[in-house]
């Protein structure tokens, strides 16, 4: 059988767009299958009010094209969702990508055939696609997590999901709105919609740690000056463990690591830290990632810092987190705690009174009923693996990837491939740096490595490549050993990083924390050794 494509790429977000371009550059024929009606991936679906990146635009962007980085004009230091969506559309046009992207094509099943060495992909509308290689560029935070709350279906008002926000927006003015969830998404959205709605009730199960941040428009000439030094900026970014050398939520974490310990700080030193830097100062200690007692001390200090902002003492106390700082992705905000001083905002502490049921006219907690016109679910994602477990991915001998991950946990070799699934590459799979880094820097490395690998296989006449179980096992041991001595594995750390946010998901830390440069070094070494740990046939 003749294939019209060498490679099928699933997803037309940041990863899929670059993957297509790279494969074309290597002389390979590729096609992207995208379930949405437009390109953009995560940055298309998550168009809720206040959606914004937490890494600077100058770094949260492709570095592979000098033309693109010079031509595109960012307007803000940290870009908002519409600007990122527009940027991705600009890239698609600039590189003439659209002719190889099939929109409205939802891949629901894919099967590897041992005899032909090819994958057959089936879309929801019944159409099939065949190619020897598949790259899953389906995103790490793209499969929404719908909570299972009794009565959800009975609500007579509007039920909205931040991860599937309606195109064109929603008019919330004059409405009584409930938000369920207080992760990164809700922390961004709450200050924005509080200004619009009549009444806002925030249903909080796990308070967040969040750091105040100033986002601003670029001043005249500022962006041009940076663009003139883009080579240096990209170089610094490339060498940085998190793939972003400028100030970001992640770089703050790295600064904290080299700060003095809280355990030996005097009370005066602790209070001074809060006097000088508020909630940021409360957390700025080097031992809080490794010592749960130090983490608790910093959390108590953090509570003192919140109490200086939030006027109602009961609300301030309810906002103090119970999990260790760092175990969830760091959050930055614009006026989150100040929002709770507004007369039209109420915090509902689900730790004290859990939600009992959703009714046609609102939400019942164990203590009270809340009348609502709109419920917004900001309840997160089945991260890292959800985008592939929703598809029937069948590898060798018909084995389902969903079953492998359910039994063994989210195993992978380098986050790039899974044993038993030949010729299937994952961009930012579990065990890769993605989760704890600048996603764009991390994905560029993945895309380039995968492209080179496929080109090598074709040139050398290899038909298949497959991760070996022993190599995969060693990789997982390595990635998990990196976090063994940190609060990331503390039982109170329930995060999408370790799958604990998804009922029934096997708990395993899914990131790679030694940094992108070290990860790149290892990947290059493996490729240089003839793809060590992979079986080439
Ligand atoms: O999701 P989350 P997110 N009843 O999982 C709560 C990226 N991102 O969409 O912790 C009540 O963090 C849940 O409570 P709990 C970023 O990587 C980036 O906010 O399970 N509550 C939690 O509070 C981020 O980490 C940016 O107890 C329920 C919330 O819902 C990732 O996306 C912006 C519940 C989910 O928080 C995910 O963030 C936005 C229930 N039944 C997102 N079920 C930027 O770049 C869940 N919750 C800035």
């Amino acid at each position: 059988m003749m294939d019209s494509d060498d490679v099928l790429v699933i997803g037309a977000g940041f990863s899929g767009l670059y993957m297509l371009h790279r494969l074309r550059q290597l002389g390979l024929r590729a096609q992207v299958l995208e379930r949405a009606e437009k390109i953009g991936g995560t940055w298309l679906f998550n168009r809720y009010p206040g959606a914004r990146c937490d890494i600077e635009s100058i770094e949260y962007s492709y570095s592979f094209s000098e033309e693109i980085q010079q031509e595109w004009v960012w307007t803000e230091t940290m870009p908002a969702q519409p600007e990122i969506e527009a940027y991705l559309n600009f890239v698609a046009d600039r590189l003439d990508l659209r002719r190889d992207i099939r929109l409205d094509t939802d891949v629901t099943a894919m099967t590897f055939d041992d005899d032909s060495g090819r994958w057959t992909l089936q879309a929801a509308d019944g159409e099939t696609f065949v190619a020897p290689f598949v790259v899953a560029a389906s995103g790490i935070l793209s499969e929404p997590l719908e909570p299972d709350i009794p009565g959800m279906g009975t609500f007579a008002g509007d039920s909205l999901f931040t991860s599937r926000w309606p195109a064109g927006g929603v008019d919330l003015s004059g409405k009584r709105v409930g938000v369920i969830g207080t992760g990164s998404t809700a922390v961004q959205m709450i200050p924005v919609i509080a200004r619009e709605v009549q009444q806002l009730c925030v249903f909080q199960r796990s308070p967040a740690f969040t750091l105040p941040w100033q986002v601003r428009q670029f001043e005249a000439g500022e962006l041009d000056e940076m663009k003139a030094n883009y080579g240096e900026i990209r170089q610094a970014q490339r060498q940085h463990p998190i793939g972003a050398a400028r100030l970001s939520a992640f770089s703050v974490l790295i600064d904290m690591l080299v700060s003095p310990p809280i355990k030996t700080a005097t009370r005066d030193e602790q209070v001074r830290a809060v006097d000088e830097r508020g909630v940021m100062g409360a957390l700025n200690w080097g031992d809080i990632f490794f010592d749960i007692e130090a983490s608790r001390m910093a959390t108590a200090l953090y509570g003192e810092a919140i109490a200086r902002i939030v006027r109602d003492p009961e609300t301030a106390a309810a906002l103090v987190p119970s999990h260790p700082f760092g175990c969830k992705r760091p959050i930055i905000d614009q006026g989150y705690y100040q929002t709770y001083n507004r007369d039209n905002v109420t915090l509902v502490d689900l730790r004290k009174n859990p939600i009992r049921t959703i009714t046609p006219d609102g939400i019942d907690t164990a203590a009270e009923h809340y009348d609502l016109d709109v419920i917004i679910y900001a309840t997160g994602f089945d991260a890292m693996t959800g985008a592939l477990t929703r598809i029937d991915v069948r590898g060798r001998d018909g084995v389902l990837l969903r079953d492998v991950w359910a039994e063994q946990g989210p195993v992978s070799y380098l986050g790039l491939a899974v044993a038993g699934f030949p010729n299937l590459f994952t961009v930012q799979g579990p065990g890769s740096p993605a989760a704890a880094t600048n996603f764009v820097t991390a994905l560029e490395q993945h895309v380039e490595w995968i492209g080179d690998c496929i080109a090598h296989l074709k040139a050398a006449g290899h038909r298949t490549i497959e991760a070996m179980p022993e190599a995969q096992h060693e990789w997982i041991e390595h990635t998990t050993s990196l976090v063994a001595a940190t609060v990331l594995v503390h039982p109170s750390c329930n995060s999408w990083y370790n799958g604990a946010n998804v009922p029934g998901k096997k708990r395993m830390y899914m990131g790679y924390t030694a940094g992108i440069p070290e990860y790149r070094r290892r990947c290059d070494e493996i490729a240089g050794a003839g793809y060590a740990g992979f079986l080439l046939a």
Side-chain angles (χ1 to χ4, degrees):
M1 190 197 300
M2 275 290 292
D3 303 308
S4 53
D5 297 301
D6 298 308
V7 187
L8 290 166
V9 179
I10 305 175
F14 257 106
S15 304
L17 295 180
Y18 182 31
M19 193 74 243
L20 172 59
H21 176 63
R22 185 73 178 178
L23 290 166
R24 278 187 188 168
Q25 281 184 323
L26 292 164
L28 295 159
R29 293 161 304 163
Q31 187 172 194
V32 176
L33 308 178
E34 165 58 54
R35 69 171 143 165
E37 76 290 1
K38 286 166 140 189
I39 65 159
T42 290
W43 288 107
L44 171 71
F45 285 107
N46 289 270
R47 49 194 159 198
Y48 57 84
R52 180 180 290 287
C53 182
D54 57 3
I55 291 173
E56 291 202 9
S57 45
I58 197 92
E59 293 188 314
Y60 192 85
S61 46
Y62 293 121
S63 71
F64 66 81
S65 161
E66 177 64 7
E67 292 77 24
I68 285 174
Q69 67 184 15
Q70 289 299 334
E71 286 170 27
W72 177 255
V73 180
W74 295 107
T75 64
E76 293 181 290
T77 49
M78 287 181 172
Q81 178 274 334
E83 194 156 281
I84 302 177
E85 190 188 333
Y87 167 76
L88 291 172
N89 277 276
F90 165 79
V91 172
D93 290 332
R94 187 70 177 72
L95 300 176
D96 186 23
L97 299 178
R98 292 185 200 273
R99 64 188 156 87
D100 287 322
I101 301 174
R102 279 182 71 107
L103 300 170
D104 293 311
T105 305
D106 185 9
V107 177
T108 53
M110 47 193 275
T111 306
F112 182 73
D113 177 43
D114 263 340
D115 296 333
S116 67
R118 288 184 178 84
W119 282 94
T120 300
L121 275 59
Q122 178 149 16
D125 63 5
E127 197 163 353
T128 57
F129 304 84
V130 180
F133 297 99
V134 174
V135 179
S138 37
I140 65 169
L141 292 157
S142 53
E143 190 53 26
L145 189 62
E146 283 196 20
D148 186 15
I149 304 174
M152 269 176 77
T154 67
F155 184 58
D158 291 329
S159 298
L160 300 172
F161 285 81
T162 51
S163 50
R164 296 197 292 270
W165 199 259
V170 182
D171 183 7
L172 296 173
S173 56
K175 301 263 172 69
R176 296 163 303 174
V177 176
V179 173
I180 300 181
T182 46
S184 302
T185 297
V187 166
Q188 284 189 327
M189 180 181 63
I190 285 166
V192 177
I193 63 170
R195 298 195 283 268
E196 187 186 345
V197 303
Q198 183 199 105
Q199 185 66 41
L200 181 64
C201 294
V202 178
F203 294 86
Q204 172 198 263
R205 187 165 72 181
S206 301
F209 285 102
T210 169
L211 308 171
W213 212 269
Q214 202 211 358
V215 177
R216 58 176 181 79
Q217 297 268 323
F218 281 122
E219 287 163 18
E222 190 182 355
L223 183 65
D224 289 337
E225 206 172 302
M226 284 193 280
K227 282 181 175 178
N229 294 318
Y230 233 141
E232 280 167 39
I233 290 172
R234 294 302 193 191
Q235 183 62 13
Q237 199 180 331
R238 203 178 150 80
Q239 289 166 356
H240 199 281
I242 56 159
R246 301 169 68 83
L247 197 58
S248 72
F250 283 120
S251 67
V252 167
L253 285 193
I254 302 235
D255 292 347
M256 285 173 182
L257 285 170
V258 293
S259 298
I262 191 171
K263 275 183 123 171
T264 50
T266 63
R267 173 69 189 157
D268 279 353
E269 285 167 336
Q270 293 178 19
V271 173
R272 200 176 325 126
V274 176
D275 289 344
E276 288 170 4
R277 300 184 64 202
V279 291
M280 189 92 83
L283 298 172
N284 199 39
W285 311 99
D287 49 352
I288 64 170
F289 301 103
F290 307 100
D291 181 334
I292 195 69
E293 195 43 44
S295 171
R296 290 196 182 113
M297 288 169 70
T299 303
L301 197 58
Y302 185 81
E304 291 180 35
I306 295 175
R308 292 186 187 195
I309 307 170
V310 177
R311 285 195 290 272
D312 174 46
E314 205 180 320
T315 304
L319 285 163
V320 182
S322 327
H323 60 273
F325 176 69
C327 106
K328 297 189 179 192
R329 194 169 185 273
I331 304 179
I332 60 176
D333 72 87
Q334 280 126 53
Y336 180 67
Y337 289 125
Q338 287 81 354
T339 302
Y340 291 99
N341 289 331
R342 295 178 65 99
D343 291 338
N344 69 336
V345 177
T346 306
L347 181 69
V348 183
D349 186 354
L350 302 181
R351 286 183 299 191
K352 279 191 184 154
N353 295 301
I355 294 178
R356 236 183 353 215
T357 179
I358 294 181
T359 65
D361 58 355
I363 294 181
D364 275 351
T365 67
E368 230 172 295
H369 173 78
Y370 297 86
D371 278 324
L372 300 169
D373 304 309
V374 179
I375 297 177
I376 302 177
Y377 295 90
T379 43
F381 301 87
D382 182 355
M384 308 294 289
T385 54
L388 278 180
T389 53
R390 68 179 277 277
I391 302 174
D392 282 331
V393 181
R394 289 187 187 276
R396 258 191 217 296
D397 306 322
V399 172
L400 269 172
L401 181 58
R402 188 186 298 131
D403 291 346
V404 172
W405 279 345
E407 281 158 27
Q408 301 178 29
V411 293
S412 158
Y413 182 37
L414 302 168
L416 282 162
V418 182
F421 296 83
N423 293 9
L424 170 62
F425 296 93
T426 50
V427 182
Q428 317 266 38
S432 72
T437 60
N438 177 358
F439 179 79
V440 183
T441 314
L443 78 84
E444 284 192 334
Q445 183 273 341
H446 260 203
V447 163
E448 287 159 18
W449 192 95
I450 292 169
D452 291 348
C453 178
I454 296 175
H456 167 80
L457 296 170
K458 293 256 312 174
H462 294 297
R463 207 173 62 141
T464 58
I465 181 167
E466 184 175 355
M468 285 155 72
E470 311 77 50
Q472 177 169 284
H473 181 72
E474 276 172 30
W475 183 252
I476 297 296
E477 286 209 326
H478 171 55
T479 58
T480 47
S481 72
L482 289 170
V483 292
T486 70
V487 295
L488 288 161
V489 292
H490 192 265
S492 65
C493 179
N494 294 325
S495 152
W496 65 259
Y497 279 175
N498 56 24
N501 67 325
V502 180
K505 191 164 175 174
K506 201 151 187 167
R507 199 176 165 121
M508 181 191 287
Y509 185 76
M510 291 188 279
Y512 179 72
T513 52
I516 299 176
E518 170 59 14
Y519 177 79
R520 182 184 294 118
R521 187 193 67 73
R522 284 172 180 262
C523 288
D524 289 348
E525 196 175 272
I526 285 165
Y531 294 92
F534 290 94
L535 185 68
L536 277 58

